[in-house]
Amino acid sequence: MKGVVEKLIKLNKTISTMESCTGGALVNEITNVEGASNVIKFSAVTYSNEYKIKMGVSENIINTYSVYSRETAKEMSKKISDFTNSDYGVGITGKINKTDPNNLVGKDDLIFVSIYDKKSNLYYEFQIEAIYDTRVKNKNMIVNVISDKLTGIIK
């Protein structure tokens, strides 16, 4: 994540995150880097549908596609960028090898990620499969994948 933070600083760009299943793991890694306060504007951990909606995610999107969908991740990335006026917004939702009794739709090992680039109004969307036996290992892997993607996206 050091390279991501350094690139954001060099380009005078900012980032914000709205995380669900990763529980703040991404923003934690960002803030572990010296100088992160120059680039991170805000982060929200929105485990519940209620707080995704309070942060601007359309209830209709959640009800139509499920909270565990690319559409929800896309909304999360845009809404957090809009809320904070950040250059980049990251939205993460999915299930890390756990059934959610309140949201039974979707695979239990699939994470949806969207990175929104405000300047070009582009979304970079991808899925990550939870392949490890612990949440910690999977969260670390997810953060590493997102870090690699951000390195290529930030311009």
Side-chain angles (χ1 to χ4, degrees):
M1 198 57 73
K2 184 177 182 194
V4 170
V5 171
E6 288 172 349
K7 199 170 186 182
L8 288 166
I9 290 170
K10 180 180 176 188
L11 297 170
N12 197 31
K13 303 273 184 166
T14 57
I15 191 168
S16 293
T17 68
M18 189 183 307
E19 301 181 58
S20 187
C21 60
T22 50
L26 179 63
V27 76
N28 180 62
E29 286 302 311
I30 292 170
T31 60
N32 283 341
V33 177
E34 190 71 34
S37 61
N38 295 310
V39 299
I40 188 78
K41 281 206 163 183
F42 181 77
S43 179
V45 176
T46 56
Y47 248 43
S48 69
N49 293 3
E50 174 189 2
Y51 280 89
K52 286 176 185 68
I53 293 164
K54 284 186 180 194
M55 288 299 301
V57 174
S58 166
E59 185 174 5
N60 186 50
I61 292 286
I62 291 172
N63 291 337
T64 302
Y65 299 101
S66 107
V67 68
Y68 305 120
S69 66
R70 63 177 284 280
E71 293 84 1
T72 297
K74 188 175 175 179
E75 280 269 297
M76 291 168 73
S77 67
K78 173 106 169 52
K79 296 305 180 182
I80 198 67
S81 175
D82 289 347
F83 180 75
T84 61
N85 196 29
S86 291
D87 297 294
Y88 299 94
V90 182
I92 308 166
T93 187
K95 294 186 257 185
I96 301 178
N97 296 331
K98 184 170 186 336
T99 301
D100 178 353
N102 297 316
N103 296 286
L104 295 173
V105 176
K107 295 176 68 179
D108 292 341
D109 63 352
L110 195 56
I111 296 88
F112 299 89
V113 181
S114 175
I115 300 169
Y116 176 69
D117 177 342
K118 182 185 279 287
K119 181 179 180 186
S120 51
N121 194 35
L122 290 175
Y123 296 88
Y124 300 87
E125 301 171 70
F126 51 97
Q127 298 174 16
I128 303 170
E129 186 177 349
I131 57 172
Y132 296 106
D133 59 346
T134 69
R135 287 184 67 77
V136 171
K137 286 180 185 176
N138 280 301
K139 285 164 73 170
N140 287 336
M141 181 258 306
I142 293 163
V143 167
N144 288 334
V145 170
I146 294 170
S147 177
D148 288 345
K149 297 280 188 184
L150 282 167
T151 299
I153 292 168
I154 297 168
K155 313 175 185 92

